[in-house]
């Protein structure tokens, strides 16, 4: 069972999302929050697998709430999906930097939303097509790996570098395991070791490191 917390200041939106999510027998909504501050407290209390986080909320916005949750190592089991009507470039970049596992727009189809929740719970990162295009444009305008400071991967084993490469391409633990003949649990262990060795906050930061290191493309 995948546990979900819904953070949105509009009660009708929360009610609608709860109805859509609980249509899937493998998903349960464990709590709702109307402010970012309440969302942080609720995550601490319930430790949900996935948080659907709005951006514009009173007291504390969703991006700051995401930043605080992702900065707490005791909450690293909770994956955050930003779900909003806003697709402004700065919001997207701030959300990714804060540690969000995905950024979705509220016009997403019901089944796509449930699939997104399952993907996030499995360790994957995801963006809606419109948002993905904006991120790609941002990456294209960013300095190329040879223009950025070098990344030291000397502490990683060959296998860990293979896993890091897969993380850089957005693979879930299950996908990494299938590609490298590992169980999803073993793949998760490797990711945890890499996070510790590189002192990275989350998988998004690992993906950035993989990009900066110029790791080769995988054979998918």
């Amino acid at each position: 069972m995948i546990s979900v917390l819904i953070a949105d200041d509009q009660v009708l939106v929360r009610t609608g999302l709860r109805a859509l999510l609980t249509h899937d027998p493998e998903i349960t909504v464990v709590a709702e929050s109307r402010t970012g501050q309440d969302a942080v407290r609720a995550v601490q209390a319930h430790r949900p697998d996935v948080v659907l986080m709005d951006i514009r909320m009173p007291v504390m916005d969703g991006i700051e709430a995401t930043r605080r949750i992702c900065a707490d190592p005791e909450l690293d089991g909770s994956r955050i999906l930003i779900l909003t009507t806003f697709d402004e470039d700065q919001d997207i970049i701030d959300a990714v930097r804060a540690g969000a596992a995905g950024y979705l727009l509220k016009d997403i189809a019901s089944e796509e939303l449930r699939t997104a929740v399952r993907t996030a719970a499995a360790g994957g990162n995801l963006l809606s097509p419109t948002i993905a295009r904006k991120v790609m444009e941002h990456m294209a305008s960013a300095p190329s790996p040879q223009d950025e400071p070098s990344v030291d991967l000397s502490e990683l084993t060959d296998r860990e570098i293979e896993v890091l490469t897969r993380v850089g391409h957005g693979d879930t633990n299950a996908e990494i395991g299938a590609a490298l003949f590992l169980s999803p649990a073993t793949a998760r262990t490797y990711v945890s070791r890499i996070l510790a060795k590189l002192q990275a906050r989350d998988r998004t930061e690992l993906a950035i490191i993989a990009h900066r290191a110029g790791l080769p493309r995988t054979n998918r």
Side-chain angles (χ1 to χ4, degrees):
M1 184 69 73
I2 299 171
S3 57
V4 177
L5 184 150
I6 301 171
D8 196 292
D9 63 331
Q10 298 184 35
V11 64
L12 288 178
V13 172
R14 297 197 305 272
T15 301
L17 289 174
R18 176 183 282 272
L20 291 175
L21 293 173
T22 53
H23 182 74
D24 188 322
E26 296 182 354
I27 299 175
T28 181
V29 176
V30 295
E32 298 178 12
S33 302
R34 64 173 296 274
T35 73
Q37 185 178 73
D38 287 344
V40 174
R41 293 170 178 167
V43 171
Q44 293 170 338
H46 297 278
R47 307 296 173 93
D49 297 311
V50 178
V51 180
L52 291 181
M53 184 81 74
D54 190 20
I55 288 183
R56 304 291 191 264
M57 291 186 290
V59 185
M60 180 190 297
D61 66 33
I63 292 177
E64 178 59 25
T66 297
R67 185 177 293 112
R68 295 193 184 192
I69 293 167
C70 292
D72 188 340
E74 294 186 0
L75 304 179
D76 63 359
S78 296
R79 307 272 290 161
I80 299 179
L81 292 178
I82 298 295
L83 184 63
T84 180
T85 57
F86 300 94
D87 64 348
E88 298 175 9
D89 291 8
Q90 193 58 53
D91 284 339
I92 297 168
I93 302 306
D94 287 346
V96 172
R97 286 176 175 168
Y103 195 110
L104 308 171
L105 298 180
K106 287 183 178 177
D107 61 0
I108 187 172
S110 301
E111 184 53 40
E112 290 178 346
L113 176 61
R114 290 189 286 266
T115 298
V117 168
R118 290 193 292 269
T119 299
N125 299 318
L126 64 163
L127 301 169
S128 66
T130 301
I131 301 304
R133 184 172 63 252
K134 289 178 176 290
V135 171
M136 289 176 66
E137 291 171 352
H138 175 77
M139 292 293 290
S141 64
S144 61
Q146 60 265 29
D147 296 328
E148 296 175 336
S150 60
V151 177
D152 183 9
L153 304 181
S154 61
E155 291 189 22
L156 302 187
T157 65
D158 290 343
R159 178 60 97 183
E160 288 169 344
I161 289 177
E162 289 178 326
V163 172
L164 177 60
T165 300
R166 291 280 169 180
V167 172
H169 286 267
D171 286 5
T172 65
N173 292 331
E175 290 170 336
I176 293 172
L180 301 180
F181 305 102
L182 305 169
S183 71
T186 301
R188 181 184 179 89
T189 297
Y190 271 112
V191 172
S192 296
R193 290 177 184 170
I194 297 168
L195 285 167
K197 286 185 177 182
L198 299 182
Q199 298 183 339
R201 181 181 63 243
D202 51 35
R203 295 174 77 104
T204 300
E205 189 170 346
L206 286 184
I208 294 171
I209 290 173
H211 169 74
R212 288 178 53 199
L215 292 181
R217 293 184 177 274
T218 60
N219 295 318
R220 304 181 67 86

